[in-house]
C-alpha cells in the first residue's frame, strides 16, 4: 500500500504564529520539530494499517521544513521550491491513498488560526463550484485527477470542517481549536500525535467508501484577489478569465490543468503581492 502525504504547517498543535513556521529562528525550528512529530505519527498509523511505502511532500513556505533522516517509514521526501503541482508534486495513480497533514482554514473562513489560501497577501477568497474552499480541497483536485482518495486531513477545527463540507467521507484529526486568527487552544504534542496516529490508521480502513474522483467535470475555481492588478496579472495565464475587478475564474474538465493554472497564477501574483 502506497501513501502520499502532503504536509503544511499552520495546522500543527502548538503552532499559532508566523514566527513559528517561517524562517530559521528558534521559534521556527521548534515549530518544525512539532510538525515532524505529527508527520511521523501519520506514517506510524498508516504502517499499523498495512501501508508499506510513503512519499512525503514538504509543502510549507520554502518547503524545507522536515529532516529527511528523522522521517519514519523510510519515506521518500520531496523538498524545495517551485514545482508544477506544488504541494501535491509526486502524486500519481500508483498511490492507494493521500493524507493532508497540518492543514488550516481558508482566508474565506469565519474563524481560523493563521487562515489563508496559498498566499495571504494575494488571495482574499477561493470558491470551487460556488463553495468557499481552502488549500485542502484545492489540493485534492490533483488527487481526483489521478483517482486517488484523500482519506485523512489533520489540523485545526476550521480546516478540518471546511474539508468535510466538500469531502464528507474524509477522516479528520483535530489537534487544535482556533480562537482567533492569532490564537488557538492546542492539544499537548504527545496527545496530538496520538490522535493523528489513530486517525491515520482508521482512515485507511475507509478506502472502499471514499470516492477517488469526488469533483464534477468540468469544475470551476473562482479566486477573489486582494487588488485589481493581481486579478489582471492572473489572466496572463492562458485559460484564466477575469469576471470582475478583483475576480478571476478557471473552468476545466481536466482537474490537473485547472490546478496547474491556479498555481501559475499564485506564482505570478507574488510579484505584486510582495509590494502590498
Amino acid at each position: 500500500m502506497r501513501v502520499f502525504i502532503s504536509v503544511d504547517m499552520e495546522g500543527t498543535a502548538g503552532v499559532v504564529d508566523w514566527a513559528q513556521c517561517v524562517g530559521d529562528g528558534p521559534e521556527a525550528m521548534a515549530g518544525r520539530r512539532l510538525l515532524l512529530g505529527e508527520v511521523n505519527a501519520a506514517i506510524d498509523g498508516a504502517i499499523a494499517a498495512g501501508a508499506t511505502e510513503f512519499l512525503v511532500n514538504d509543502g510549507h513556505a520554502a518547503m524545507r521544513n522536515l529532516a529527511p533522516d528523522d522521517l519514519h517509514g523510510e519515506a521518500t521526501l520531496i523538498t524545495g521550491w517551485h514545482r508544477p503541482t506544488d504541494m501535491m508534486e509526486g502524486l500519481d495513480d500508483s498511490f492507494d491513498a493521500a493524507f493532508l497533514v497540518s492543514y488550516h482554514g481558508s482566508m474565506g473562513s469565519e474563524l481560523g488560526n493563521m487562515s489563508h489560501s496559498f498566499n495571504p497577501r494575494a488571495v482574499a477568497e477561493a470558491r470551487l463550484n460556488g463553495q468557499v474552499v481552502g488549500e485542502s480541497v484545492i489540493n485534492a483536485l490533483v488527487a481526483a485527477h489521478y483517482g486517488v482518495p484523500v482519506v485523512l486531513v489533520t489540523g485545526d477545527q476550521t480546516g478540518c470542517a471546511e474539508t468535510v463540507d466538500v469531502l464528507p467521507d474524509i477522516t479528520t484529526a483535530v489537534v487544535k481549536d482556533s480562537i482567533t486568527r492569532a490564537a488557538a487552544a492546542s492539544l499537548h504534542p504527545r496527545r496530538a500525535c496520538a490522535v493523528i496516529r489513530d486517525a491515520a490508521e482508521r482512515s485507511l480502513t475507509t478506502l472502499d467508501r471514499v470516492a477517488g474522483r469526488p469533483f464534477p467535470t468540468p469544475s470551476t475555481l473562482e479566486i477573489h484577489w486582494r487588488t485589481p492588478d493581481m486579478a489582471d496579472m492572473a489572466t496572463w495565464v492562458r485559460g484564466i478569465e477575469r469576471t470582475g475587478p478583483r475576480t478571476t475564474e478557471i473552468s476545466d474538465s481536466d482537474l490537473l490543468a485547472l490546478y496547474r493554472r491556479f498555481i501559475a497564477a499564485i506564482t505570478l501574483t507574488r510579484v505584486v503581492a510582495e509590494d502590498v
Side-chain angles (χ1 to χ4, degrees), residues 190-222:
R190 284 195 296 272
R191 178 59 183 155
C193 287
V195 168
I196 290 171
R197 184 191 183 284
D198 175 69
E201 182 176 0
R202 284 188 288 107
S203 74
L204 291 178
T205 68
T206 69
L207 287 173
D208 60 343
R209 64 175 185 271
V210 177
R213 303 183 190 276
F215 303 112
T217 52
S219 278
T220 299
L221 184 61
E222 182 181 70

Side-chain angles (χ1 to χ4, degrees), residues 40 43-44 47 52-56 68-77:
N40 281 340
I43 293 174
D44 289 344
I47 290 172
T52 55
E53 189 174 343
F54 304 92
L55 176 59
V56 176
D69 55 342
D70 289 329
L71 278 176
H72 289 187
E74 297 185 348
T76 299
L77 175 63

